[in-house]
Amino acid sequence: MNAPASFDAQSGSGGERERLIVIGNGMAGCRAIEEVLERDPERYDIVIFGAEPRVNYNRIMLSPVLAGEKTFDEIVINGQDWYDKNTITLVSGDPVQKIDRDRKMVVSVSGHTEYYDRLLIATGSDPFIIPVPGNDLSGVVTFRDLDDVDKMLAAAEGGGNAVVIGGGLLGLEAAHGLSLRGMNVTVLHLMPTLMERQLDEAAGWLLKEELERRGQTIRIGADTQAILGKDGHVSGVQLKDGTEIEADIVVMAVGIRPSTGLASSAGLDTERGIMVDDHMVTSDPAIMAVGECVQHRGACYGLVAPLWDMCRALADHLTDQPSGYEGSVTSTKLKVSGIDLFSAGDFSGSDGSEDIVMRDASRGIYKRVVVQDNKLIGAVLYGDTADGNWYFDLLKKGEDISDIREALIFGQAFASGSTSLDPNSAVAAMSDDTEICGCNGVSKAKVVGTILGGATSLDAVRSSCKASASCGSCTGIVESLLVLTLGDDVEEGAKTMCKCTGFGHGDVRKLIVEKGLREIPQVMQELHWTTPEGCSSCRPALNYYLLCAYPGDYIDDQQSRFVNERMHANIQKDGTYSVVPRMWGGLTNPKELRAIADVVEKYDAPMVKVTGGQRLDIFGIKKDDLPAVWADLNAAGMVSGHAYGKSLRTVKTCVGSEWCRFGTQDSTGLGVKLEHMTWGSWMPHKFKIAVSGCPRNCAEATIKDFGIICVDSGYELQVGGNGGMKLRGTDLLCKVETEQQVMEHCAAFVQLYREEAYYLERTAPWIERVGLEYVQSKLFDDPDALGEYAQRFYYSQSFCQDDPWAKRADRERADLHSHIAELRPLALEPAQ
Amino acid sequence: MTTPKSGPITGKWLDIGPVTQIEPGSARTLPVAGGEEIAVFRTMQSECYALINKCPHKQGPLSQGLVHGSVVTCPLHNWNISLKTGKALGDDEGCVPTIPMRVDAGRMLLLREAAIGGGIIAPADEVA
Ligand code: SRM
Ligand SMILES: Cc1cc2nc3c(=O)[nH]c(=O)nc-3n(C[C@H](O)[C@H](O)[C@H](O)COP(=O)(O)OP(=O)(O)OC[C@H]3O[C@@H](n4cnc5c(N)ncnc54)[C@H](O)[C@@H]3O)c2cc1C
Ligand code: SF4
Ligand code: FES
């Protein structure tokens, strides 16, 4: 130590230079030292403690090492020569176990002691281990340092099965590496979207598709129950739903926690991380902290970019030229070769933010930028990330983007082009032979010709020359051409489903079936939705269309359902619920009535009422009591009446031939049979049936969706009635002779309505729109059609005729009905 | 910056259990004896927010609404409420008090004084 004495006199340990001790030989610790040396190489006497038995390396490159794209030597940042050259003492493989602030010293596990004038804590993070049985078995590894990578590589040598718990950045990089190393990989992710913190549903879905295409198994919504073992080594993973997955190695990548143990036991202020000010100083002025272990202005970081800023501020402070750190905005990329993904900022959307979305299904591209107050606040890019840095820059600088707003989503080249910023001008500049519609091979000249030939709306263009009629990705361009060619004379097209899409309900239904689209995010990507996740209009509609198209296969998306359909009861103005059990055909008996009476008393229901649908409605049930109420009703043989659903509601009947002196047929019995056939079905809107025993029509069958008037010679089948907001009497569909025929016609009609009506369109407006003749021709022109529609209905019913109440009464989804906890403020006050 | 003196249970933060108790995209409730019931939301992005469980319109139970992005649509008359600020969005006007909260190691922590004090009406910028 022959360096000239520094000007600072108050050195603590007798040396001439101040002693700076660093705990943590990782990315932040060493970077901080590099920055200090750059400013003032003579100032400090430096000792670095590292728990890992090696020199400073680039941790983020562990993923390429695992994937076999890099070796360890290639990712070393500072080799031993760096420490030597700068006379830094490295104590590696020997973690510090105690900080003694009174004596200003640190002690390592092996007993190595060093005194400090200044201490820097850069202990990084610890992987979070989920508290499940078996998490300590051998073969359960984390992904944090080189030792973890070595363990994974050793496991991968034997091939076999790997389970990665956690579908975030780290988990997916681990999965990718293990998969390239020849293992059969399953990723378990608790949330519905992969990398949900960085990606929205649309991008998460594209990523999942791609990883599955590459042979990985991705299970979303997978909640780990236990890690299973054999002879002390991991053998599999068990999920809460009972599934077991074989595993030779389990990688736990569910998140990280700032490593604060050492700091908090030394009495430094810690919350999630070690609390630091803008100069990275902790609650002890002699102790600083940087990196993932700190909490600065409420934020903890898990990426390297913020660390560089922290290290700059720290070095400025340590060399008496304080500058201060103000927090960072971060961006994410996934280091999986061949997958381009970028995200930055806030895209949770609220408070006046607006999304601009661009999708290109044929090239697998999804781009979304979020704008608020004329500033870019977030971006998610999938498939084409070339503009990521440009967006990130706009975001960090908080630049006003109002001038380039229209062109923003097309990227830097376009938005900052010297020509006009109007996207129409780019279309105008296209040559006449440019192919506009790839699906149908239509050129620009042809589209313009079609428009000049009289096609003045998008729909007219679609039907005349087929441009934009298939996948719809060129819709925007066709619309621009309409504007360029016609100016203000463009006609508004047919109503679109909602503001998220250019397609109407009919097109969406048709395209779902034609293209075999099977999930909501897939529909949105393939049909170029202009919003990231749809809205409260299109989501329930798409959920229904998919449910109808793929009975038994499609998994209902509960988040796309209105509260009543999620709770299986009707919400009331005071937040309680009403409960309507089914009374088949309006019939009841003492046992049912007693059960209802008991429920009313037992749960203190303030009111019970006979409904307009011939059954009883119990009002004022609390959401926590619902499962118990249902259990009691189930016990008396009653099931859900679906009074809350877009589904079959009631089958109203009259007494009919069994008692009535005018009755011509057994209307009551037929009603009961019809209700047993149709209950539980999901429909575009609610659906009501009635059977009257004679033309006096006491069951009001002629204002129902499907009404039956019994006559001496058989049954008149009536359709499309509505007694609601707009009164409409039914149309006569046909007359049949037997009950069996009534049943089959009813099933066929319901199925035609289910397959063709728009969501939230009842039979009355549907028939007004398509015409009775259309319905008749669909059902009767082809002699096989009726039977086929009916069969499709029966098939679909085979999946939905189980009582939704029974499962809830059995405590399925108990979380929907119970409080998370209860706060009793006094009891919780800390004891004095 | 003020810092808590002790751990989450008795200090500034109240531990209300693991975040996995709430299905993503939904909410659960937390009654407060002698106080206002709290709705704790978890979004699809796994962000958590706590609000008083009363719509500023006609006291609808926000916990039962549809969650999209960081917005909940009230189940009664479809007002959209920002989970971040408690403010009604669009043309509607009103604000529901929020309770600052954070998630640490998978556990949900509510700012104690706000939780038992009926929440605070403030821009929730500082809410993690
Ligand atoms: C309970 C009941 C009134 C009663 O006390 O009798 C009722 C109550 C409601 N009706 Fe009704 N309707 C009830 C029979 C009817 C009838 C009569 C019938 O079914 O014979 C009609 C006219 C017939 C028809 O539908 O064509 C009827 C036409 C409506 C309409 C208008 C529908 C339309 O197409 O125009 C709505 C609004 C809607 O669905 O959008 C509606 C909506 C509602 C809602 C769901 C309002 C709401 O969104 O909260 C009410 C739910 C109350 C609850 O929590 O239980 N209710 N509603 C009846 C329940 C019948 C049942 O047993 O399930
Ligand atoms: C596989 C992987 C991939 C990643 N990819 C990316 C990426 O693509 N982009 C990105 O921005 N970030 C990425 N990260 C995150 C990035 O690596 C971290 O943000 C960064 O390493 C944090 O630096 P740090 O110095 O705070 O912690 P670390 O780099 O972890 O350094 C802390 C060091 O302190 C040591 N230590 C802890 N306690 C003690 C003690 N008591 N005594 C002595 N030493 C101790 C630890 O052993 C460790 O070596 C990735 C991380 C991993 C694990
Ligand atoms: S008519 Fe129907 S919707 Fe209107 S108040 Fe009565 S029950 Fe409610
Ligand atoms: S009470 Fe919430 S919208 Fe009316």
Side-chain angles (χ1 to χ4, degrees), chain A residues 191 196 199 257 269 271 275 346 348-351 559 562-563 573 577 623 815 818-821 823 828-829, chain B residues 1 3-4 20 24-25 28-31 33 42 44-45 64 66 69-70 75-76 82 84-85 102 105 112:
Chain A
M191 299 292 292
E196 75 282 351
L199 300 184
R257 298 195 65 181
D269 281 351
E271 251 180 25
M275 312 284 275
D346 178 5
S348 57
S350 96
D351 302 29
Q559 284 352 312
F562 181 63
V563 56
K573 57 189 276 191
Y577 287 85
K623 80 170 183 214
D815 61 305
S818 61
H819 298 303
I820 202 167
L823 291 190
L828 282 160
E829 284 304 333
Chain B
M1 180 174 285
T3 53
T20 48
R28 294 188 66 188
T29 44
L30 185 76
R42 184 178 183 206
M44 290 299 212
Q45 249 77 45
Q64 308 290 78
L66 260 181
S70 59
L76 292 194
S82 160
K84 294 182 178 172
T85 61
R102 60 191 179 88
R112 182 190 180 77

Side-chain angles (χ1 to χ4, degrees), chain A residues 170 216 378 574 628 640 692 711:
Chain A
L170 274 191
Q216 297 181 24
D574 63 354
S640 162
S692 286
V711 290

Side-chain angles (χ1 to χ4, degrees), chain A residues 22-30 49-52 56-64 91 94-97 122-126 143-145 149 169-170 173 256 259 262 290-293 301-308 331 333-335:
Chain A
V22 183
I23 307 176
N25 186 37
M27 297 196 70
C30 290
F49 283 87
E52 294 182 64
N56 170 228
Y57 62 94
N58 189 347
R59 189 171 312 284
I60 76 176
M61 298 311 269
L62 287 176
S63 299
V91 185
D94 190 7
V96 169
Q97 63 164 345
T123 45
S125 302
D126 301 315
F143 190 15
R144 183 72 198 173
D145 61 26
V149 173
L169 188 101
L170 274 191
E173 291 186 4
I256 51 171
S259 166
L262 200 56
V290 281
E292 279 184 350
C293 60
Y301 296 95
L303 293 168
V304 292
L307 315 187
W308 306 154
S331 68
K333 280 185 179 153
L334 183 69
K335 300 193 296 301

Side-chain angles (χ1 to χ4, degrees), chain B residues 55 57-60 74 76-79:
Chain B
C55 178
H57 179 218
K58 293 191 173 174
Q59 283 77 54
C74 177
L76 292 194
H77 318 100
N78 297 331
W79 277 29

Side-chain angles (χ1 to χ4, degrees), chain A residues 482-521:
Chain A
L482 276 161
V483 173
L484 287 167
T485 317
L486 299 173
D488 289 341
D489 298 334
V490 181
E491 264 179 74
E492 286 293 314
K495 259 188 82 187
T496 63
M497 209 163 141
C498 61
K499 61 175 184 355
C500 306
T501 172
F503 287 113
H505 281 270
D507 290 334
V508 171
R509 290 211 77 163
K510 201 178 75 208
L511 289 165
I512 284 176
V513 176
E514 265 176 33
K515 298 171 134 265
L517 309 178
R518 292 180 164 267
E519 289 177 63
I520 290 178

Side-chain angles (χ1 to χ4, degrees), chain A residues 572 609 619 686:
Chain A
Q572 305 293 315
K609 174 179 185 304
F619 286 90
K686 59 191 179 191

